[in-house]
Amino acid sequence: MYASRIDIPAHARKAAIRLLQARLSDALDLVAQLKQAHWNVRGPAFIGLHQLFDAVHGDVEGFADTLAERIAALGGIADGRVQTTAASTQLYRYALETVAGADHLRAVAAVLAQFGKALRGDIDAAAAIPDTGTADVLTEVSRATDKQLWFVEAHLSGT
Ligand SMILES: [Fe+2]
């Protein structure tokens, strides 16, 4: 960890970095999963879903950036390597054979919900460290994840 003038003790920064890194790996997996859906969806609702998944991808890329930069601000090294992401992600693996729009929507909704649940647990863990800045970052990402889950699930209403 890098030295910093920040008034959060090293042990607290280390604990916060551990929480943030776990969610960074998930977020980077999400980034890839959203492109997987964007590229491979087919069917009558193609163009709307193709665009929806790219819009969610853009937001999720922002989540990864926010989490990584909090790690850097705390004096840590943000590990965005694909090998680390593959080894550390706690999200469901995307099924390569997914084709139909509803199946892509269900797959994306499942991982967004998983990510949101993990974030909600981390908010309380960060507050207990205590690192309110990290708790705020996690809250921000969690709120935005809930919104993306709503966008995706709204397409599944009535199906
Ligand atoms: Fe594209």
Side-chain angles (χ1 to χ4, degrees):
M1 228 171 42
Y2 293 101
S4 171
R5 289 164 188 78
I6 198 167
D7 63 321
I8 303 172
H11 65 88
R13 289 192 279 138
K14 213 170 157 184
I17 288 165
R18 204 175 308 118
L19 292 176
L20 290 159
Q21 178 61 49
R23 295 294 74 76
L24 174 60
S25 290
D26 286 357
L28 291 170
D29 183 11
L30 265 182
V31 168
Q33 294 206 26
L34 264 303
K35 277 294 184 186
Q36 192 69 20
H38 170 68
W39 294 326
N40 293 300
V41 67
R42 285 174 175 263
F46 168 76
I47 196 64
L49 293 180
H50 177 68
Q51 289 170 350
L52 168 76
F53 293 136
D54 218 25
V56 180
H57 170 268
D59 262 49
V60 167
E61 221 167 32
F63 301 167
D65 209 48
T66 300
L67 294 163
E69 289 177 357
R70 180 66 185 171
I71 292 173
L74 292 173
I77 296 173
D79 190 347
R81 294 176 295 176
V82 290
Q83 295 85 353
T84 302
T85 301
S88 310
T89 179
Q90 292 170 27
L91 302 182
Y92 301 122
R93 188 187 181 121
Y94 211 93
L96 187 61
E97 58 276 11
T98 311
V99 176
D103 293 334
H104 280 289
L105 286 165
R106 283 189 202 97
V108 169
V111 283
L112 283 172
Q114 242 188 337
F115 185 58
K117 182 180 179 183
L119 284 163
R120 239 177 299 285
D122 290 342
I123 295 165
D124 295 335
I129 288 174
D131 179 359
T132 49
T134 291
D136 181 60
V137 162
L138 293 164
T139 304
E140 177 191 329
V141 175
S142 142
R143 193 175 56 241
T145 300
D146 293 345
K147 184 177 172 184
Q148 294 305 321
L149 177 58
W150 163 46
F151 279 14
V152 170
E153 283 188 327
H155 290 79
L156 283 166
S157 280
T159 64

